[in-house]
Amino acid sequence: MRKAALHNLGCKVNSYETDAMAQLLEKAGYEIVPFSEIADVYIVNTCSVTNMADRKSRQMLHKAKKQNPDAVVVATGCYVQTAVDKVKEDLAIDIIIGNNKKKEVVPILEEYFKENEKDFVIDINNTSEYEDLEIPTVTEHTRAHMKIQDGCNNFCSYCIIPYARGRIRSRKMDSIREEMVRLAEKGFKEIVLTGINLGCYSDGEKTLIDVIEMADEIEGIERVRLGSLDPEVITPDFVERIGKCRKICPHFHLSLQSGCNNTLKAMNRHYTAEEYFEKCEMLRSVFENPAFTTDIIVGFPGESDEDFEASLDFAKKVEFSRIHVFKYSKRDGTVAAKMPNQVDERIKTKRSDILIATGEELVKKYNENKLGTYDFVLWEERKQINGREYWVGHTTDYVEVALETDEELAGKIQKVALKDIINQEIILATQ
């Protein structure tokens, strides 16, 4: 029995695909071992969202070969797609698998062991069909991530992903339903729909809202959560229909990137700050106090002090429940990398610190508004907090809650009273 070790870098979609490859290997007779152990095969599912991600991807590939020089090192993922020439010349790598060929990892390995020569599979940009890669069993105990879409056509000026993942393509509705039913039968109460550009999901005339409505009818599934969305998906029809879905979590991660129209235009984002805010208000018209989380980049080329202040003020106006702050990182191969007026790193850091502090204030404000109310929590795991052991889980609007109890709560949904704030972002509950 050969041993295989896998390491994932990057997003939830990558993570889903890594789990799927691991289970394909296990089914084929491989023993899956931790990446830190000696293995016969090492697979690194790489990321390329930033230059730093590229560097980490190379480091993990070289680490694998160093751990066992006789092992077969497999590189797959987005770094493979964006740096083909570098990857082909890297002596630490034995097999290269394109993003659209991960499902074929087992036969590719079999062919390698038979022929003992490198096999380069780079074909993503010519792919028009969705690779139906799925996870027979899910490793998480409470929620299951489901990849239903791949690729992106947006070509934002800072982003390499359209080149790494190819054009948009989607999973068939029948395939999605089959996996949802199987997950429900295994006892999973929450599913999270994910994709590279989830809002672009399309199967014929069916769109993302049709997937949500289908999930709403699956017996056993009690929560449907959405991954990151671009604001364009929020239309009057979408809002009217999603407002009628009983199981949808009122937690929307709407990608913003900047609250300044000058910066949004330079980023090639296809909306204004005013349009983004209108989308939030549309959702608020059908959900009571929904949670809006987002990503914001600071220090984009040409961002002035006034532009940053506009973005900061906009974040306060929306009243996000959480902000993920990123300092702009120049990504080779993108339009933004060649833009003039690159912002000094010290200014980026200062702006990042200010926005992070604002985000912390908004988290506190959102959580404090929940105190004194009752909410339903899906319990996930035991965790040590301030030297005490709690069960922790999340509400539908993705607020983390802790409960001190000896009961076994994994996978249960329970109504609790929200009493106090501990560790700034976690709410203490009582039964």
Side-chain angles (χ1 to χ4, degrees):
M1 180 184 287
R2 290 192 174 103
K3 294 181 178 180
L6 297 91
H7 184 79
N8 184 71
L9 293 153
C11 63
K12 291 290 186 183
V13 171
N14 248 24
S15 179
Y16 179 94
E17 293 168 349
T18 301
D19 286 345
M21 287 190 289
Q23 292 182 38
L24 287 170
L25 289 163
E26 194 169 29
K27 186 177 180 181
Y30 287 79
E31 179 187 353
I32 306 302
V33 299
F35 199 82
S36 58
E37 294 186 9
I38 299 298
D40 302 296
V41 176
Y42 291 96
I43 299 175
V44 181
N45 199 5
T46 62
C47 178
S48 191
V49 69
T50 63
N51 289 340
M52 179 60 73
D54 281 0
R55 192 174 304 123
K56 288 181 179 178
S57 296
R58 289 192 296 270
Q59 288 172 348
M60 294 311 299
L61 290 161
H62 292 172
K63 178 182 178 180
K65 184 58 81 174
K66 186 176 181 180
Q67 282 183 176
N68 182 7
D70 296 325
V72 177
V73 176
V74 181
T76 187
C78 293
Y79 171 60
V80 166
Q81 299 291 160
T82 59
V84 178
D85 292 337
K86 288 182 181 178
V87 175
K88 285 183 176 181
E89 295 172 359
D90 195 327
L91 297 179
I93 301 169
D94 299 300
I95 301 176
I96 300 170
I97 299 179
N99 264 335
N100 62 318
K101 299 291 183 180
K102 292 174 181 176
K103 191 175 183 178
E104 299 174 26
V105 61
V106 171
I108 287 172
L109 281 167
E110 289 176 354
E111 185 68 20
Y112 177 86
F113 286 121
K114 181 180 177 182
E115 302 293 337
N116 197 29
E117 61 181 33
K118 289 192 177 186
D119 185 7
F120 297 97
V121 188
I122 307 293
D123 193 30
I124 188 68
N125 288 326
N126 296 322
T127 298
S128 58
E129 294 184 4
Y130 180 86
E131 184 186 31
D132 209 352
L133 193 65
E134 61 182 41
I135 301 178
T137 59
V138 181
T139 53
E140 280 197 50
H141 297 298
T142 54
R143 67 170 54 87
H145 289 81
M146 281 188 61
K147 177 190 169 187
I148 67 169
Q149 184 276 337
D150 206 340
C152 182
N153 295 356
N154 284 347
F155 291 94
C156 299
S157 62
Y158 54 84
C159 187
I160 199 72
I161 297 305
Y163 304 98
R165 282 280 176 176
R167 304 300 180 265
I168 57 172
R169 52 207 184 276
S170 302
R171 187 174 179 175
K172 296 295 184 182
M173 290 278 287
D174 288 346
S175 172
I176 296 171
R177 180 179 175 79
E178 288 171 7
E179 186 168 5
M180 286 179 177
V181 170
R182 187 175 68 249
L183 291 169
E185 290 172 347
K186 290 181 179 294
F188 292 95
K189 293 182 173 63
E190 180 178 316
I191 58 171
V192 185
L193 303 178
T194 64
I196 296 299
N197 194 336
L198 183 61
C200 290
Y201 176 87
S202 175
D203 179 14
E205 295 183 357
K206 303 295 185 181
T207 62
L208 178 61
I209 188 61
D210 294 289
V211 178
I212 297 168
E213 289 174 339
M214 179 174 68
D216 203 54
E217 298 300 322
I218 301 293
E219 185 176 351
I221 299 295
E222 297 186 34
R223 291 182 174 185
V224 180
R225 194 178 299 279
L226 304 177
S228 179
L229 298 172
D230 277 346
E232 291 96 326
V233 74
I234 311 300
T235 64
D237 177 68
F238 181 91
V239 171
E240 181 183 356
R241 292 168 66 180
I242 201 173
K244 297 174 182 177
C245 294
R246 298 166 292 118
K247 300 175 182 178
I248 193 71
C249 292
H251 162 226
F252 301 98
H253 188 88
L254 294 182
S255 183
L256 175 61
Q257 308 306 346
S258 176
C260 169
N261 288 335
N262 293 334
T263 307
L264 287 171
K265 185 176 181 181
M267 288 177 167
N268 195 33
R269 302 292 286 177
H270 305 294
Y271 53 83
T272 64
E274 293 76 18
E275 288 167 345
Y276 183 102
F277 187 76
E278 181 184 354
K279 308 290 187 178
C280 295
E281 293 300 285
M282 288 168 64
L283 288 167
R284 284 187 170 119
S285 71
V286 294
F287 294 103
E288 183 179 354
N289 196 31
F292 293 109
T293 58
T294 200
D295 306 313
I296 297 180
I297 297 171
V298 298
F300 189 79
E303 183 186 62
S304 66
D305 289 340
E306 292 76 18
D307 292 337
F308 171 70
E309 288 296 331
S311 192
L312 181 66
D313 290 342
F314 186 75
K316 296 175 184 177
K317 178 181 178 181
V318 175
E319 295 185 299
F320 291 109
S321 64
R322 186 176 301 274
I323 302 173
H324 301 280
V325 180
F326 300 90
K327 291 190 288 185
Y328 170 73
S329 175
K330 187 185 292 187
R331 182 62 183 84
D332 295 339
T334 62
V335 173
K338 300 177 182 179
M339 286 182 174
N341 302 317
Q342 298 283 330
V343 177
D344 185 89
E345 198 64 33
R346 290 170 296 180
I347 295 175
K348 292 182 194 176
T349 300
K350 181 180 178 181
R351 291 176 183 173
S352 174
D353 290 344
I354 292 171
L355 188 55
I356 288 171
T358 299
E360 290 172 350
E361 292 173 5
L362 292 172
V363 170
K364 183 180 179 183
K365 180 180 178 181
Y366 188 88
N367 288 355
E368 285 178 344
N369 285 338
K370 294 183 72 70
L371 298 182
T373 67
Y374 290 85
D375 210 336
F376 289 92
V377 177
L378 173 58
W379 300 113
E380 299 160 24
E381 61 179 341
R382 292 185 184 274
K383 184 184 289 186
Q384 289 282 334
I385 304 173
N386 299 333
R388 303 173 75 95
E389 189 172 83
Y390 296 87
W391 270 101
V392 296
H394 288 84
T395 59
T396 55
D397 53 355
Y398 213 65
V399 171
E400 190 169 8
V401 175
L403 177 68
E404 194 170 15
T405 179
D406 294 327
E407 292 182 56
E408 178 58 43
L409 297 178
K412 294 182 180 179
I413 295 179
Q414 186 180 52
K415 188 176 183 179
V416 294
L418 305 180
K419 293 296 185 181
D420 201 2
I421 305 287
I422 54 175
N423 277 16
Q424 188 176 8
E425 296 184 0
I426 303 176
I427 295 180
L428 179 66
T430 59
Q431 292 174 307

